[in-house]
Amino acid sequence: MASNLWGYLPSTPVGPLAVDRAFYGRLGAETATRTLVERFVIPIRTGKAWPVRAGQLCRVVVVEGPQVADFNCWNLHNPRERFWAARTKQLEGSHVTTGNRLWSALPYLRPMLTITNDTVRYGVDADGGRCHDLLGTRCDPYVHKLLTGEEFDYCCHSNLTRAIRPYRLTELDVHDVLNIFQVTGLKDDRYFMKASPARKGDAFEFFAEIDLLCAISTCPGGDLSIPLWGPDAGDTLSVCRPLGVEVYQPPAELLAGWSSPPASDYRGGHGLEAKAGGAG
Ligand SMILES: [Zn+2]
Protein backbone atom coordinates (compact mmCIF):
# COMPACT_ATOMS: atom_id res chain seq x y z
CA MET A 1 0.00 0.00 0.00
CA ALA A 2 1.19 3.47 -0.83
CA SER A 3 0.51 4.68 2.68
CA ASN A 4 3.34 2.52 4.05
CA LEU A 5 5.93 4.56 2.16
CA TRP A 6 4.59 7.85 3.36
CA GLY A 7 4.01 7.15 7.01
CA TYR A 8 7.76 7.63 7.42
CA LEU A 9 7.83 11.29 6.34
CA PRO A 10 9.82 13.26 8.97
CA SER A 11 7.73 16.36 8.46
CA THR A 12 4.78 17.41 6.39
CA PRO A 13 5.54 20.32 4.06
CA VAL A 14 2.63 22.71 3.63
CA GLY A 15 1.64 25.52 1.27
CA PRO A 16 3.80 25.86 -1.86
CA LEU A 17 6.06 23.09 -0.55
CA ALA A 18 3.26 20.57 -0.13
CA VAL A 19 3.44 17.41 -2.22
CA ASP A 20 0.54 15.28 -3.40
CA ARG A 21 1.13 12.28 -1.16
CA ALA A 22 -1.50 10.14 -2.85
CA PHE A 23 -0.01 10.74 -6.32
CA TYR A 24 3.63 10.09 -5.41
CA GLY A 25 2.67 7.27 -3.08
CA ARG A 26 0.97 5.43 -5.94
CA LEU A 27 3.96 6.03 -8.23
CA GLY A 28 6.32 4.56 -5.64
CA ALA A 29 4.10 1.64 -4.73
CA GLU A 30 2.81 0.41 -8.10
CA THR A 31 5.92 -1.27 -9.43
CA ALA A 32 4.23 -4.02 -11.47
CA THR A 33 2.83 -1.69 -14.13
CA ARG A 34 6.03 0.25 -14.93
CA THR A 35 8.13 -0.47 -18.00
CA LEU A 36 11.92 -0.77 -17.79
CA VAL A 37 13.60 1.87 -19.99
CA GLU A 38 17.23 1.32 -19.07
CA ARG A 39 19.31 -0.58 -16.51
CA PHE A 40 23.06 -0.45 -15.92
CA VAL A 41 25.69 -0.89 -13.25
CA ILE A 42 28.23 1.78 -12.30
CA PRO A 43 31.54 0.09 -11.41
CA ILE A 44 33.58 1.12 -8.37
CA ARG A 45 35.37 4.49 -8.41
CA THR A 46 33.79 5.62 -11.66
CA GLY A 47 31.05 7.97 -12.80
CA LYS A 48 28.15 7.72 -15.19
CA ALA A 49 25.67 10.24 -16.57
CA TRP A 50 22.28 9.39 -18.05
CA PRO A 51 19.02 11.13 -18.98
CA VAL A 52 15.76 10.65 -17.11
CA ARG A 53 12.77 12.14 -18.89
CA ALA A 54 10.05 14.08 -17.11
CA GLY A 55 7.48 11.59 -15.89
CA GLN A 56 9.95 8.72 -15.53
CA LEU A 57 11.13 7.02 -12.35
CA CYS A 58 14.76 6.30 -11.55
CA ARG A 59 16.09 3.89 -8.92
CA VAL A 60 19.63 3.87 -7.53
CA VAL A 61 20.07 0.30 -6.31
CA VAL A 62 22.50 -1.32 -3.88
CA VAL A 63 23.53 -4.34 -5.94
CA GLU A 64 26.31 -5.86 -3.81
CA GLY A 65 26.59 -4.05 -0.49
CA PRO A 66 26.80 -0.59 1.07
CA GLN A 67 28.24 2.15 -1.13
CA VAL A 68 27.82 5.91 -1.20
CA ALA A 69 26.65 7.63 -4.40
CA ASP A 70 27.50 11.28 -5.07
CA PHE A 71 24.59 12.58 -7.15
CA ASN A 72 24.29 15.61 -9.44
CA CYS A 73 21.47 16.61 -11.80
CA TRP A 74 20.79 19.25 -14.42
CA ASN A 75 17.97 20.26 -16.72
CA LEU A 76 18.74 18.01 -19.70
CA HIS A 77 18.28 20.96 -22.09
CA ASN A 78 19.96 23.69 -20.02
CA PRO A 79 22.88 22.85 -17.73
CA ARG A 80 22.66 26.25 -16.01
CA GLU A 81 19.60 24.89 -14.28
CA ARG A 82 21.06 22.46 -11.82
CA PHE A 83 20.33 21.05 -8.41
CA TRP A 84 20.77 23.59 -5.57
CA ALA A 85 21.85 21.78 -2.40
CA ALA A 86 21.77 24.81 -0.08
CA ARG A 87 18.22 25.90 -0.87
CA THR A 88 17.04 22.29 -0.84
CA LYS A 89 18.50 21.99 2.68
CA GLN A 90 16.45 24.97 3.81
CA LEU A 91 13.23 23.91 2.13
CA GLU A 92 13.36 20.16 2.73
CA GLY A 93 15.94 19.44 5.46
CA SER A 94 19.63 18.55 5.58
CA HIS A 95 18.82 14.94 4.71
CA VAL A 96 16.15 13.79 2.29
CA THR A 97 13.87 10.80 2.06
CA THR A 98 10.53 9.75 0.60
CA GLY A 99 8.40 12.82 -0.11
CA ASN A 100 11.28 15.29 -0.31
CA ARG A 101 12.24 17.12 -3.51
CA LEU A 102 15.45 18.48 -4.97
CA TRP A 103 15.14 22.13 -6.04
CA SER A 104 16.94 23.90 -8.88
CA ALA A 105 19.21 26.95 -8.77
CA LEU A 106 18.25 30.52 -9.64
CA PRO A 107 16.64 31.90 -11.68
CA TYR A 108 14.60 28.71 -12.03
CA LEU A 109 13.79 27.45 -8.52
CA ARG A 110 11.46 24.56 -9.15
CA PRO A 111 11.37 20.94 -8.02
CA MET A 112 13.57 18.87 -10.32
CA LEU A 113 12.67 15.53 -8.79
CA THR A 114 10.56 14.04 -6.01
CA ILE A 115 11.73 11.06 -3.96
CA THR A 116 9.15 8.29 -4.22
CA ASN A 117 10.76 5.45 -2.27
CA ASP A 118 13.70 5.35 0.14
CA THR A 119 13.99 1.78 1.41
CA VAL A 120 16.84 2.61 3.82
CA ARG A 121 14.44 4.41 6.21
CA TYR A 122 17.29 5.17 8.59
CA GLY A 123 15.51 7.78 10.67
CA VAL A 124 17.63 9.56 13.29
CA ASP A 125 20.35 7.77 15.24
CA ALA A 126 21.61 8.48 18.79
CA ASP A 127 24.14 11.04 17.48
CA GLY A 128 21.58 12.86 15.38
CA GLY A 129 22.88 11.22 12.21
CA ARG A 130 20.55 10.79 9.25
CA CYS A 131 20.86 9.22 5.80
CA HIS A 132 21.03 10.78 2.29
CA ASP A 133 23.15 13.82 3.04
CA LEU A 134 23.00 17.41 1.86
CA LEU A 135 25.34 18.79 4.56
CA GLY A 136 28.56 17.70 2.90
CA THR A 137 29.72 17.64 -0.65
CA ARG A 138 31.79 15.53 -3.04
CA CYS A 139 35.36 14.49 -2.39
CA ASP A 140 37.70 16.26 -4.82
CA PRO A 141 41.35 16.06 -5.84
CA TYR A 142 42.08 19.59 -4.64
CA VAL A 143 41.10 18.99 -1.02
CA HIS A 144 42.66 15.54 -1.26
CA LYS A 145 45.99 17.12 -2.25
CA LEU A 146 45.61 19.74 0.47
CA LEU A 147 45.01 17.17 3.20
CA THR A 148 47.28 14.31 2.08
CA GLY A 149 49.78 15.76 -0.38
CA GLU A 150 48.80 12.99 -2.83
CA GLU A 151 47.59 13.21 -6.42
CA PHE A 152 44.43 11.11 -6.83
CA ASP A 153 42.27 11.11 -9.98
CA TYR A 154 39.25 9.11 -8.81
CA CYS A 155 37.59 11.44 -6.31
CA CYS A 156 33.85 11.98 -6.87
CA HIS A 157 34.48 15.41 -8.43
CA SER A 158 36.74 13.80 -11.03
CA ASN A 159 34.44 10.81 -11.57
CA LEU A 160 31.55 13.20 -12.22
CA THR A 161 33.75 15.31 -14.51
CA ARG A 162 34.56 12.26 -16.65
CA ALA A 163 30.91 11.11 -16.54
CA ILE A 164 29.46 14.32 -18.01
CA ARG A 165 32.08 14.80 -20.71
CA PRO A 166 29.93 13.04 -23.36
CA TYR A 167 27.31 15.76 -22.71
CA ARG A 168 29.92 18.47 -23.32
CA LEU A 169 29.96 19.50 -19.68
CA THR A 170 33.10 20.14 -17.64
CA GLU A 171 34.18 20.19 -13.99
CA LEU A 172 32.70 23.69 -13.77
CA ASP A 173 29.28 22.06 -14.19
CA VAL A 174 29.82 19.69 -11.26
CA HIS A 175 28.04 21.08 -8.21
CA ASP A 176 27.35 20.29 -4.57
CA VAL A 177 25.94 16.80 -4.40
CA LEU A 178 23.31 14.74 -2.72
CA ASN A 179 25.21 11.96 -0.96
CA ILE A 180 22.85 9.01 -1.42
CA PHE A 181 23.20 6.17 1.14
CA GLN A 182 25.50 8.37 3.28
CA VAL A 183 24.87 9.02 6.99
CA THR A 184 26.02 12.37 8.35
CA GLY A 185 25.26 14.87 11.04
CA LEU A 186 26.67 17.73 13.08
CA LYS A 187 28.20 17.29 16.54
CA ASP A 188 29.46 20.38 18.36
CA ASP A 189 28.98 22.10 15.00
CA ARG A 190 31.42 19.70 13.31
CA TYR A 191 30.41 17.52 10.38
CA PHE A 192 30.60 13.76 10.90
CA MET A 193 30.07 10.78 8.60
CA LYS A 194 29.27 7.17 9.45
CA ALA A 195 29.47 3.91 7.56
CA SER A 196 26.62 3.51 5.09
CA PRO A 197 23.70 1.49 6.50
CA ALA A 198 22.45 0.47 3.03
CA ARG A 199 22.10 -3.23 2.33
CA LYS A 200 21.94 -5.25 -0.85
CA GLY A 201 18.53 -4.65 -2.42
CA ASP A 202 18.05 -1.19 -0.92
CA ALA A 203 17.03 1.52 -3.36
CA PHE A 204 16.60 5.27 -3.53
CA GLU A 205 13.91 6.06 -6.08
CA PHE A 206 12.81 9.37 -7.53
CA PHE A 207 10.35 10.79 -10.04
CA ALA A 208 11.70 13.25 -12.63
CA GLU A 209 9.63 16.45 -12.62
CA ILE A 210 11.50 17.85 -15.65
CA ASP A 211 13.79 16.28 -18.25
CA LEU A 212 16.97 15.54 -16.30
CA LEU A 213 20.58 14.71 -16.92
CA CYS A 214 21.62 12.73 -13.85
CA ALA A 215 25.13 11.68 -12.84
CA ILE A 216 26.54 9.52 -10.08
CA SER A 217 30.02 8.88 -8.79
CA THR A 218 30.61 5.67 -6.87
CA CYS A 219 32.66 7.34 -4.13
CA PRO A 220 36.23 6.03 -3.76
CA GLY A 221 35.52 6.04 -0.02
CA GLY A 222 33.13 3.14 -0.70
CA ASP A 223 30.82 2.62 2.28
CA LEU A 224 32.79 5.18 4.36
CA SER A 225 33.64 2.60 7.03
CA ILE A 226 37.33 3.57 6.61
CA PRO A 227 38.25 7.31 6.63
CA LEU A 228 39.82 8.67 3.43
CA TRP A 229 41.65 11.38 5.38
CA GLY A 230 42.93 11.96 8.92
CA PRO A 231 44.82 9.84 11.49
CA ASP A 232 42.66 6.73 10.97
CA ALA A 233 42.79 6.87 7.18
CA GLY A 234 43.25 3.56 5.39
CA ASP A 235 42.93 1.89 2.01
CA THR A 236 39.24 2.02 1.13
CA LEU A 237 39.40 -0.13 -1.99
CA SER A 238 38.09 -3.19 -0.11
CA VAL A 239 34.91 -1.32 0.88
CA CYS A 240 34.13 0.02 -2.63
CA ARG A 241 31.17 -1.56 -4.41
CA PRO A 242 29.25 -0.94 -7.65
CA LEU A 243 25.75 0.56 -7.74
CA GLY A 244 22.87 -0.19 -10.08
CA VAL A 245 20.62 2.31 -11.84
CA GLU A 246 17.20 1.54 -13.29
CA VAL A 247 14.95 3.92 -15.25
CA TYR A 248 11.25 3.14 -15.60
CA GLN A 249 8.29 4.58 -17.47
CA PRO A 250 5.12 4.43 -15.38
CA PRO A 251 1.82 3.94 -17.27
CA ALA A 252 0.04 7.08 -18.49
CA GLU A 253 -2.92 6.54 -16.17
CA LEU A 254 -0.64 6.86 -13.12
CA LEU A 255 0.49 10.29 -14.38
CA ALA A 256 -3.05 11.62 -14.79
CA GLY A 257 -3.33 15.12 -13.33
CA TRP A 258 0.43 15.67 -13.12
CA SER A 259 2.22 18.31 -15.20
CA SER A 260 5.89 19.25 -15.32
CA PRO A 261 6.40 22.28 -13.02
CA PRO A 262 7.32 25.61 -14.67
CA ALA A 263 10.35 27.66 -13.66
CA SER A 264 9.77 30.59 -11.30
CA ASP A 265 7.62 33.34 -12.81
CA TYR A 266 9.41 36.15 -10.94
CA ARG A 267 9.76 38.99 -13.45
CA GLY A 268 10.76 41.84 -11.11
CA GLY A 269 14.14 42.40 -12.72
CA HIS A 270 15.88 42.91 -9.34
CA GLY A 271 15.07 46.61 -9.37
CA LEU A 272 17.53 47.18 -12.21
CA GLU A 273 14.88 48.83 -14.36
CA ALA A 274 13.08 51.92 -13.09
CA LYS A 275 9.38 51.31 -12.65
CA ALA A 276 6.67 53.88 -13.24
CA GLY A 277 5.34 55.05 -9.88
CA GLY A 278 8.56 54.22 -8.01
CA ALA A 279 9.18 51.12 -5.95
CA GLY A 280 6.27 48.79 -6.45
ZN1 LIG B 1 33.51 10.78 -2.86
Side-chain angles (χ1 to χ4, degrees), residues 103-177:
W103 292 77
S104 63
L106 304 183
Y108 310 100
L109 195 64
R110 59 179 155 181
M112 301 179 80
L113 63 86
T114 303
I115 301 162
T116 49
N117 196 356
D118 163 22
T119 71
V120 177
R121 303 185 194 188
Y122 186 77
V124 192
D125 66 28
D127 300 312
R130 297 170 193 257
C131 198
H132 311 306
D133 162 68
L134 290 172
L135 289 169
T137 188
R138 59 209 182 276
C139 56
D140 71 71
Y142 309 98
V143 77
H144 192 89
K145 182 93 187 239
L146 176 76
L147 296 177
T148 68
E150 295 170 0
E151 301 268 336
F152 184 65
D153 297 332
Y154 301 96
C155 286
C156 289
H157 179 82
S158 302
N159 295 345
L160 290 167
T161 297
R162 295 194 309 281
I164 59 180
R165 196 165 178 227
Y167 295 87
R168 300 186 182 182
L169 301 180
T170 74
E171 74 169 299
L172 300 181
D173 295 294
V174 177
H175 47 282
D176 280 344
V177 300

